[in-house]
Amino acid sequence: MSARITPQTPALQALRMRLHAQHQPVVLMRTDCHVCRAEGLAPRSQVLIIAGDRTVQALLYQIDSDLLKAGQIALSEAAWDALDIHEGDFVQVRHPPMLESLSAVRARIHGHRLQTTELQAIVRDVVDGRYTDVALSAFLTATAVLPLDMQETIHLTRAMVDVGDRLQWQAQIVVDKHCVGGLPGNRTTPLVVAIAAANGLVMPKTSSRAITSPAGTADTMETLAPVDLDLDTLRKVVEKEGGCVAWGGAMHLSPADDIFVRIERELDIDTQGQLIASVLSKKIAAGATHIVIDIPVGPTAKVRSRETAEHLAHHLSEVAASFGLVLRCLFTDGNQPVGRGIGPALEARDVLAVLRNEADAPQDLCDRVALVAGAVLELGGVAKEGEGFRLAHETISSGRAWEKFQRICAAQGGFREPPQALYVEPLLATTSGRAVHIDNRKLSRLAKLAGAPESPAAGIQLQVHLGDEITRGQPLMFLHTQTSGEMAYALAYVQDIGDIVKIDP
Amino acid sequence: MSARITPQTPALQALRMRLHAQHQPVVLMRTDCHVCRAEGLAPRSQVLIIAGDRTVQALLYQIDSDLLKAGQIALSEAAWDALDIHEGDFVQVRHPPMLESLSAVRARIHGHRLQTTELQAIVRDVVDGRYTDVALSAFLTATAVLPLDMQETIHLTRAMVDVGDRLQWQAQIVVDKHCVGGLPGNRTTPLVVAIAAANGLVMPKTSSRAITSPAGTADTMETLAPVDLDLDTLRKVVEKEGGCVAWGGAMHLSPADDIFVRIERELDIDTQGQLIASVLSKKIAAGATHIVIDIPVGPTAKVRSRETAEHLAHHLSEVAASFGLVLRCLFTDGNQPVGRGIGPALEARDVLAVLRNEADAPQDLCDRVALVAGAVLELGGVAKEGEGFRLAHETISSGRAWEKFQRICAAQGGFREPPQALYVEPLLATTSGRAVHIDNRKLSRLAKLAGAPESPAAGIQLQVHLGDEITRGQPLMFLHTQTSGEMAYALAYVQDIGDIVKIDP
């Protein structure tokens, strides 16, 4: 954003208040500030903050206290970073320019389809931080009530790609994978990358950190190797080893997606068109040409029926085709957690157990990896149709996946063993019988109370699967924490919420 | 809202930070706070703050500074007031309970019509402050894309009435009026009340203060008499004089409406069903039985065509009928500002000039008042059909309206003359010709820069109407301010923005 500074806009001295509000820039001004008075600024106004040729749109609160002196303005971290200023610098404050693209959102609310230029303007303004929560929610709700049609989905996908950076690779075929509506512990990505790269494919994977879950793929991988790679390093790792598992957050690939996802998550809506634009814009920006989409289907998964899954797969393929992408969808079992660990290090241990062919490696994770990696191998042309699953298993059992994985970690900055928590306590079964239900929501919450993902070693190690025969007194899971306080708090929570694993006599 | 406090929820010491965020409760906690860690609270989380048997849902920010000591939490004014606590009191913080009614919003997004119990739950949660901007915007957008049908409109209206207080009156007939999409300076309400009451009708009018405009009816009336009446005083004024013009803000009449209006204004959407529920819920809660709706129609008004106006009128009447209300709609000229003043005191001067039959009273305001008041008189049964306009004019010209108005002001706490600004400067025409366009948005903005409504005397006095012949050097308007700084700032703005009144040679 840029704005003309007129000489009569008075300046205020910037104070860094070390306020964290995620992506949201926030400023505090005195209620009696002359600029507020002159500009007619009220609390919760949107304001434009100007420092040299940089601007940022922020949410204004007002304060009646000596925390701020006359002529000062306090800035949150997001505002501070966006303006790139120093303590004591002067900034100017004014009304933000009209949000022109909101008229397209309004037209969409009234039933008009959006054209490519309108979607580009909307996505541009979203990424520039000019959309409030109200405006974001209106756009996403409007395109959910009257769903995005195929043309709009394609336009939106392109707009989301265009507004960010785009990686380019020498290879003709660049593979990628995505799981729609992840299951707890479903940490296949590092394994699939190792298998694909071990078989000569190029798979430059960028992943996210946890936002509301106990661990994102990037958090898990970070317990095994550095993931915060700059673009140059990422390129070198991929050129050398064929694959990487890096944190995508700093890469500015389809940056609108992260903003949309936050709103969709709060509303718990995720319509087909929005999902397709979200997934494919990230993959296209990362330079993928061949993509496997894992769609877990189950009564508590995001996709609940085979019919919905097939409909989604059909539309994904069509939009992908319009960008020249090759795409294959897998319909997988979405009924229960995958693997044993929940939390960065504990999930990483599952990954290592599979790679190292340990006797007690979680078989469900191993099979799911072979399914997804097998499809990647077939799509990438290094396995014949129907032979991918076997080749993926063979890549693991031969140790080639483990070797490649260590090389990738070394290239990313060095392999390391995941940390071990200081405190470990079992949760014991209070009755005997069969495990008939596992509450994924409570599991996630408990893992977070234990400290995941901020404490990478913290989390849960599940000891049972659905259908298992349980004996009273047997450990259902182990809680891992870094402090005794967190352990106490997590155990108190367990007392409070009732069964996480339901056992029928 | 209430919540169970479990013993393991640790308490934090409350610090009042005198932060103004309008209705939005905000709290600040240290990033390293043990409660944030234990509860897994991130910046921009929604949190439930508990003090005794009171709770409030607030928006959390985190801070890395010594502004807060360990074990402290800072609260905004809205949070502080809602909890009714004192400096140093202890509060508890936890995740808010699940927002169950959001599933009805989600169902509405997916095309399901809402039943009365669902709308009641939504409106209840909205008034309890449990809806974030994201959720509010989703609800209002969903009911705009697929508009509320007649049944939903009736259910929503009833839910909005039920969640607030409701005034009751002895009189069989209680009249009220409303203007859809006000025009600048269209300050008919105090005049209509005086005329209705002078003719024996009961008209207990509650009005709003300005939110984004230079003056609300309550702001204007406040320059003439106290408007911040409690329910007892309001009742006594109406019992004695038949009418009042009070501020409705403290009365808790259809409180959801104020929350919805803020979002609708930001999005600039206001669909028919939402408008009907908004208007009628306020009137029903205020105890009205007979209502006149003024619908200005014009190219820049909210309602742009006669056809839309008739459609709206039809639906308003049907919903009103289902609540046993008698309703009449007027279609009026929505092309230009009404009267001369913009700003509380300057609009009040227009009102007084009409009441006092001054020679230079604005004729357009006078005629519009007679039109609306005439309809009120006819609807209320004190004028025959077709004779209301004449009786309204007669009530003004005979001085009866002025006498009644003074009595109402006395009952509200005493009549006073509106204040006069310290600084007055003319804006002169720079060319000669005919006034062909007046920019209402720029006028409003300029009046606010001059200090309205915070400085009641500040604002604009327009000296021209559309179609007037203008001579170079003639005053187009006068700027009124309380400080020389505001005058300088307003004049600089005028230089910056170009013509407010467009003059064609």
Side-chain angles (χ1 to χ4, degrees):
Chain A
M1 278 193 291
S2 78
R4 195 166 53 96
I5 300 178
T6 53
Q8 73 269 20
T9 307
L12 294 169
Q13 198 172 26
L15 196 76
R16 183 173 182 175
M17 68 179 306
R18 301 190 184 277
L19 179 91
H20 299 271
Q22 287 186 350
H23 64 287
Q24 171 73 63
V26 173
V27 296
L28 257 60
M29 294 168 79
R30 286 174 64 104
T31 308
D32 60 5
C33 174
H34 61 293
V35 175
C36 288
R37 183 77 177 262
E39 289 271 330
L41 299 175
R44 282 173 59 90
S45 296
Q46 293 284 315
V47 290
L48 187 72
I49 313 293
I50 309 166
D53 58 357
R54 291 187 179 235
T55 68
V56 67
Q57 187 167 322
L59 174 63
L60 168 69
Y61 295 124
Q62 288 180 328
I63 196 160
D64 276 331
S65 89
D66 291 332
L67 176 67
L68 285 181
K69 297 198 192 72
Q72 285 187 326
I73 180 172
L75 281 74
S76 73
E77 293 300 286
W80 195 265
D81 293 346
L83 294 175
D84 193 24
I85 51 178
H86 301 91
E87 201 75 53
D89 283 0
F90 282 84
V91 299
Q92 291 174 306
V93 181
R94 38 169 51 199
H95 282 277
M98 279 272 287
L99 186 57
E100 308 280 357
S101 68
L102 195 58
S103 65
V105 174
R106 209 153 35 232
R108 189 58 169 73
I109 289 173
H110 295 309
H112 299 278
R113 293 288 174 180
L114 294 176
Q115 304 305 311
T116 180
T117 50
E118 294 167 323
L119 282 161
Q120 278 166 345
I122 291 168
V123 170
R124 175 83 263 164
D125 283 337
V126 165
V127 169
D128 281 347
R130 302 192 56 204
Y131 267 55
T132 63
D133 278 2
V134 168
L136 285 167
S137 179
F139 172 67
L140 293 169
T141 301
T143 55
V145 179
L146 175 68
L148 293 163
D149 65 19
M150 186 70 77
Q151 273 311 307
E152 286 181 315
T153 305
I154 293 170
H155 293 328
L156 177 60
T157 305
R158 192 179 306 278
M160 289 170 70
V161 171
D162 288 350
V163 81
D165 292 336
R166 197 163 170 176
L167 305 185
Q168 287 181 323
W169 305 99
Q170 295 292 332
Q172 289 288 316
I173 293 178
V174 177
V175 296
D176 207 336
K177 60 135 311 218
H178 181 82
C179 179
V180 172
L183 301 171
N186 187 14
R187 208 50 69 206
T188 57
T189 297
L191 293 155
V192 174
V193 169
I195 293 166
N199 286 288
L201 290 174
V202 173
M203 187 163 184
K205 190 87 191 86
T206 59
S207 295
S208 53
R209 293 189 190 276
I211 300 176
T212 61
S213 70
T217 295
D219 299 312
T220 299
M221 185 66 186
E222 196 167 34
T223 68
L224 298 164
V227 294
D228 194 356
L229 313 182
D230 60 28
L231 201 52
D232 255 12
T233 311
L234 180 123
R235 194 176 298 281
K236 278 181 199 145
V237 174
V238 175
E239 274 164 13
K240 184 149 179 276
E241 300 300 339
C244 70
V245 185
W247 177 50
M251 302 237 174
H252 209 63
L253 305 177
S254 186
D257 184 49
D258 303 341
I259 300 169
F260 290 150
V261 163
R262 180 176 59 82
I263 304 291
E264 289 164 359
R265 187 176 291 130
E266 178 174 342
L267 293 174
D268 199 7
I269 58 168
D270 191 2
T271 57
Q272 187 172 283
Q274 289 165 358
L275 187 153
I276 292 172
S278 167
V279 171
L280 293 187
S281 66
K282 283 280 190 199
K283 302 300 168 204
I284 295 166
T289 61
H290 292 65
I291 304 169
V292 172
I293 308 277
D294 174 6
I295 307 179
V297 184
T300 60
K302 180 179 278 184
V303 176
R304 299 191 180 184
S305 75
R306 180 79 187 204
E307 195 191 342
T308 310
E310 279 170 2
H311 195 256
L312 173 60
H314 171 71
H315 280 78
L316 266 166
S317 303
E318 263 198 64
V319 176
S322 83
F323 289 92
L325 301 175
V326 181
L327 182 138
R328 183 187 296 183
C329 292
L330 301 177
F331 306 142
T332 58
D333 175 18
N335 282 301
Q336 61 177 324
V338 180
R340 278 194 292 266
I342 302 173
L346 293 165
E347 295 179 25
R349 284 181 192 287
D350 285 351
V351 168
L352 288 181
V354 170
L355 284 170
R356 286 164 168 164
N357 290 296
E358 289 173 8
D360 64 346
Q363 197 53 43
D364 58 342
L365 177 60
C366 193
D367 283 343
R368 192 176 275 265
V369 164
L371 200 67
V372 177
V376 169
L377 297 175
E378 292 174 12
L379 209 63
V382 295
K384 286 194 190 131
E385 284 301 311
E387 295 185 4
F389 184 82
R390 196 202 47 75
L391 176 57
H393 260 305
E394 188 274 331
T395 311
I396 294 171
S397 60
S398 67
R400 289 197 295 129
W402 174 222
E403 190 195 327
K404 173 55 80 176
F405 185 77
Q406 291 175 92
R407 295 178 61 95
I408 290 172
C409 289
Q412 289 192 191
F415 172 77
R416 52 202 178 202
E417 289 289 336
Q420 167 68 48
L422 287 174
Y423 298 84
V424 180
E425 293 283 348
L427 293 191
L428 305 181
T430 52
T431 56
S432 296
R434 185 181 296 270
V436 292
H437 182 72
I438 298 178
D439 190 321
N440 289 334
R441 293 181 72 103
K442 289 180 183 170
L443 273 182
S444 288
R445 178 127 168 70
L446 184 57
K448 290 200 292 179
L449 282 181
E454 286 78 12
S455 294
I460 295 170
Q461 208 169 10
L462 259 184
Q463 298 296 303
V464 294
H465 279 91
L466 283 188
D468 284 0
E469 282 296 339
I470 312 282
T471 312
R472 184 166 184 272
Q474 164 187 344
L476 297 173
M477 64 195 75
F478 290 96
L479 275 176
H480 293 237
T481 73
Q482 279 301 84
T483 68
S484 59
E486 281 163 322
M487 181 60 78
Y489 199 68
L491 288 171
Y493 173 74
V494 170
Q495 294 257 313
D496 215 33
I497 52 158
D499 291 345
I500 299 172
V501 178
K502 188 157 177 256
I503 298 169
D504 267 9
Chain B
M1 276 195 288
S2 76
R4 195 168 53 97
I5 300 179
T6 51
Q8 72 269 23
T9 308
L12 295 169
Q13 198 172 25
L15 195 76
R16 182 172 183 177
M17 66 178 306
R18 302 192 183 276
L19 179 91
H20 299 272
Q22 288 188 349
H23 63 285
Q24 171 74 62
V26 173
V27 296
L28 258 61
M29 293 170 78
R30 287 173 64 102
T31 307
D32 60 6
C33 173
H34 60 291
V35 176
C36 288
R37 182 77 176 263
E39 290 271 329
L41 299 175
R44 282 173 59 91
S45 296
Q46 292 286 313
V47 291
L48 188 72
I49 313 293
I50 308 166
D53 56 358
R54 292 184 179 236
T55 67
V56 67
Q57 188 167 323
L59 174 63
L60 168 69
Y61 295 125
Q62 289 180 329
I63 196 160
D64 274 333
S65 88
D66 292 332
L67 176 67
L68 284 181
K69 297 195 191 73
Q72 286 187 324
I73 179 172
L75 281 74
S76 74
E77 293 299 287
W80 194 265
D81 294 346
L83 294 175
D84 193 24
I85 50 177
H86 301 91
E87 201 74 55
D89 283 359
F90 281 84
V91 300
Q92 289 174 306
V93 181
R94 38 169 52 198
H95 282 277
M98 278 272 288
L99 186 58
E100 307 281 357
S101 69
L102 195 58
S103 65
V105 174
R106 210 155 32 233
R108 189 59 168 72
I109 290 172
H110 295 308
H112 299 278
R113 292 288 173 182
L114 294 176
Q115 304 304 312
T116 180
T117 49
E118 294 166 323
L119 282 161
Q120 278 167 346
I122 291 169
V123 171
R124 175 84 264 164
D125 284 337
V126 165
V127 169
D128 281 346
R130 302 190 58 205
Y131 267 54
T132 63
D133 278 3
V134 168
L136 285 168
S137 179
F139 172 67
L140 293 169
T141 301
T143 55
V145 179
L146 175 68
L148 293 163
D149 65 20
M150 185 70 76
Q151 274 310 308
E152 286 180 316
T153 305
I154 293 171
H155 294 328
L156 177 59
T157 305
R158 193 178 307 278
M160 288 169 72
V161 171
D162 289 349
V163 81
D165 292 336
R166 195 161 171 178
L167 305 184
Q168 287 182 322
W169 306 99
Q170 295 291 330
Q172 289 287 314
I173 293 178
V174 176
V175 295
D176 208 335
K177 61 134 312 219
H178 181 82
C179 180
V180 172
L183 302 171
N186 186 14
R187 208 49 71 205
T188 59
T189 297
L191 293 155
V192 174
V193 169
I195 293 167
N199 286 287
L201 290 173
V202 172
M203 187 161 184
K205 191 86 190 87
T206 58
S207 295
S208 54
R209 294 188 190 276
I211 300 176
T212 60
S213 70
T217 294
D219 298 311
T220 299
M221 185 68 186
E222 197 167 34
T223 68
L224 298 164
V227 294
D228 194 355
L229 312 181
D230 60 28
L231 203 50
D232 256 12
T233 312
L234 180 124
R235 194 175 297 281
K236 279 179 197 147
V237 174
V238 174
E239 274 163 13
K240 185 149 178 275
E241 300 301 339
C244 70
V245 185
W247 177 50
M251 303 238 175
H252 209 63
L253 305 177
S254 186
D257 184 50
D258 304 340
I259 300 169
F260 290 151
V261 162
R262 180 176 60 81
I263 305 291
E264 289 164 358
R265 188 175 290 128
E266 178 173 342
L267 293 175
D268 200 4
I269 58 166
D270 191 2
T271 57
Q272 187 172 282
Q274 290 165 357
L275 187 153
I276 292 172
S278 167
V279 171
L280 293 186
S281 66
K282 282 279 190 199
K283 302 300 169 203
I284 295 166
T289 62
H290 292 64
I291 303 167
V292 171
I293 308 278
D294 175 5
I295 307 179
V297 184
T300 62
K302 181 180 278 184
V303 176
R304 300 191 179 184
S305 75
R306 179 79 185 204
E307 194 191 341
T308 311
E310 279 170 2
H311 194 257
L312 173 60
H314 171 71
H315 280 78
L316 267 165
S317 303
E318 261 197 66
V319 176
S322 84
F323 289 93
L325 302 175
V326 182
L327 182 138
R328 184 187 294 181
C329 293
L330 301 177
F331 305 143
T332 59
D333 175 19
N335 282 300
Q336 61 176 323
V338 181
R340 280 193 290 265
I342 301 172
L346 294 165
E347 295 179 25
R349 284 179 192 286
D350 284 352
V351 168
L352 289 180
V354 170
L355 284 170
R356 287 165 167 164
N357 288 295
E358 288 173 8
D360 65 345
Q363 196 54 43
D364 59 341
L365 177 60
C366 193
D367 283 343
R368 191 178 274 266
V369 164
L371 200 69
V372 177
V376 169
L377 297 174
E378 292 174 11
L379 208 65
V382 295
K384 287 194 189 129
E385 285 300 312
E387 296 184 4
F389 184 80
R390 198 201 47 75
L391 177 56
H393 259 306
E394 188 276 329
T395 311
I396 295 171
S397 60
S398 67
R400 289 197 296 129
W402 174 222
E403 191 196 326
K404 174 54 80 178
F405 186 76
Q406 290 175 91
R407 294 178 61 96
I408 290 171
C409 288
Q412 289 192 195
F415 172 77
R416 53 201 178 202
E417 289 289 337
Q420 167 67 49
L422 287 174
Y423 297 84
V424 180
E425 294 281 349
L427 294 190
L428 306 180
T430 52
T431 55
S432 297
R434 186 181 296 270
V436 293
H437 182 72
I438 297 178
D439 189 322
N440 290 333
R441 293 181 72 104
K442 288 181 183 169
L443 273 182
S444 288
R445 178 125 168 72
L446 183 57
K448 291 200 292 180
L449 282 181
E454 286 77 13
S455 294
I460 295 169
Q461 208 170 10
L462 258 185
Q463 299 295 303
V464 294
H465 279 91
L466 283 188
D468 285 1
E469 281 297 338
I470 313 282
T471 312
R472 184 166 184 274
Q474 166 189 341
L476 297 173
M477 65 194 75
F478 289 96
L479 276 176
H480 293 236
T481 72
Q482 279 302 84
T483 67
S484 59
E486 280 164 320
M487 181 61 78
Y489 199 66
L491 288 172
Y493 173 74
V494 170
Q495 295 255 312
D496 215 33
I497 54 159
D499 291 345
I500 299 173
V501 178
K502 186 157 179 253
I503 298 169
D504 265 10

